Amino acid sequence: MIGDKLTYHSNYQNITNYVIAELKENLISKKRICISVSGESGCGKTSLAYALQQDIEKTTGLKGAFFHQDDYFKLPPAANHNARLKDISVVGMNEVNLELLNDHLIQFQSKKNILDKPLVNYHQNIILNEHITSNNFDFCIVEGTYVSSLKAADYRIFIKTTYLDTRKSRIKRARDIINDFNEQVLEIEHQIISGQKSMADIIIDKNLKLTKTKH
């Protein structure tokens, strides 16, 4: 997504080291794996996903593609917000073309060379197109609120920090207005996302403690 500035945070290194060790065999064999990182607004999923991409590349020499769920919203940011103002019940997974995102991950895994995907320009409030030459990459990271639900994901990371825990960081980020309506939106998303925790391979808490799930 155009408008997001990605910064590497070394405090995620214990998590990225664990994931790399877990997936080392698949990475070395160059199996086209897709790793999902999901969680609520402001929980750090984009930062963790970026750190994971960078650390895998440094450790293995492989190259990782990055998919943002926000690029797959059916409406551009302002239009999507206005639709929510008219009817808050639209908030949820149906706002996102998850089927297309899942299909793009499958195409990536099957080594389809050129992917034509959406690309949101947040500040200009438009959805553009982006061409990805998938043969230039060896693995992919996909991040977003609902990406645990993607069937194509091979390994799922869930950050269970809630929107209440992240209020201060969301204020600091200053991307979204903090008001009663937006907090209602986040509560709806919280109810949806919390049910997806059971799909994860590992769960990260607000103190960056890692728990491996039993499934």
Side-chain angles (χ1 to χ4, degrees), residues 1-9 12 44-51 53-54 66 68 70-71 119-123 143 172-175:
M1 184 173 76
I2 298 173
D4 267 0
K5 183 179 179 180
L6 300 180
T7 303
Y8 179 84
H9 296 283
Y12 291 118
K45 56 186 177 292
T46 306
S47 296
L48 173 56
Y50 181 67
Q53 178 200 32
Q54 294 298 300
F66 209 105
H68 296 274
D70 284 355
D71 284 329
L119 176 67
V120 168
N121 187 316
Y122 188 85
H123 296 300
E143 66 85 22
K172 183 178 180 180
R173 182 174 66 174
R175 197 178 83 177

Side-chain angles (χ1 to χ4, degrees), residues 1-39:
M1 184 173 76
I2 298 173
D4 267 0
K5 183 179 179 180
L6 300 180
T7 303
Y8 179 84
H9 296 283
S10 60
N11 55 320
Y12 291 118
Q13 200 159 29
N14 286 340
I15 298 169
T16 63
N17 286 344
Y18 178 88
V19 174
I20 291 169
E22 281 270 282
L23 300 177
K24 185 175 181 180
E25 184 175 334
N26 286 332
L27 290 167
I28 290 175
S29 67
K30 293 190 176 181
K31 179 185 177 184
R32 282 286 191 83
I33 62 173
C34 287
I35 304 166
S36 71
V37 182
S38 63

Side-chain angles (χ1 to χ4, degrees), residues 25 43 80 90 96 108 132 140:
E25 184 175 334
C43 71
N80 195 71
V90 302
V96 185
F108 177 86
I132 293 180
C140 76

Side-chain angles (χ1 to χ4, degrees), residues 6-208:
L6 300 180
T7 303
Y8 179 84
H9 296 283
S10 60
N11 55 320
Y12 291 118
Q13 200 159 29
N14 286 340
I15 298 169
T16 63
N17 286 344
Y18 178 88
V19 174
I20 291 169
E22 281 270 282
L23 300 177
K24 185 175 181 180
E25 184 175 334
N26 286 332
L27 290 167
I28 290 175
S29 67
K30 293 190 176 181
K31 179 185 177 184
R32 282 286 191 83
I33 62 173
C34 287
I35 304 166
S36 71
V37 182
S38 63
E40 299 186 28
S41 179
C43 71
K45 56 186 177 292
T46 306
S47 296
L48 173 56
Y50 181 67
L52 185 58
Q53 178 200 32
Q54 294 298 300
D55 286 346
I56 291 176
E57 289 184 349
K58 291 175 186 176
T59 303
T60 65
L62 302 176
K63 183 71 174 173
F66 209 105
F67 289 85
H68 296 274
Q69 178 196 281
D70 284 355
D71 284 329
Y72 290 82
F73 268 84
K74 296 172 183 177
L75 297 174
N80 195 71
H81 178 68
N82 289 335
R84 289 173 167 184
L85 288 173
K86 290 180 181 178
D87 181 7
I88 197 171
S89 69
V90 302
V91 174
M93 296 172 68
N94 287 332
E95 295 177 294
V96 185
N97 195 340
L98 291 169
E99 183 177 351
L100 178 62
L101 176 52
N102 192 72
D103 185 55
H104 283 168
L105 298 186
I106 292 172
Q107 290 179 41
F108 177 86
Q109 291 163 325
S110 62
K111 300 186 179 181
K112 180 178 180 180
N113 189 29
I114 303 296
L115 296 180
D116 186 10
K117 64 175 287 294
L119 176 67
V120 168
N121 187 316
Y122 188 85
H123 296 300
Q124 293 186 16
N125 189 43
I126 56 175
I127 301 177
L128 306 170
N129 287 314
E130 177 185 23
H131 297 290
I132 293 180
T133 304
S134 66
N135 287 342
N136 292 339
F137 301 95
D138 305 293
F139 67 95
C140 76
I141 309 288
V142 55
E143 66 85 22
T145 49
Y146 306 125
V147 296
S148 285
S149 66
L150 296 172
K151 293 181 180 179
D154 298 293
Y155 191 85
R156 296 172 173 84
I157 301 170
F158 183 91
I159 303 174
K160 69 175 183 178
T161 308
T162 73
Y163 74 99
L164 296 173
D165 297 321
T166 62
R167 183 178 174 85
K168 288 183 179 180
S169 65
R170 288 187 287 114
I171 292 172
K172 183 178 180 180
R173 182 174 66 174
R175 197 178 83 177
D176 302 309
I177 297 172
I178 307 297
N179 57 27
D180 288 343
F181 176 78
N182 284 335
E183 294 299 292
Q184 290 178 50
V185 169
L186 294 175
E187 174 60 25
I188 294 170
E189 291 180 342
H190 167 72
Q191 295 300 326
I192 298 169
I193 298 165
S194 60
Q196 297 181 0
K197 183 170 61 177
S198 61
M199 303 175 185
D201 293 283
I202 60 171
I203 297 172
I204 313 299
D205 69 15
K206 63 182 179 181
N207 298 313
L208 302 185

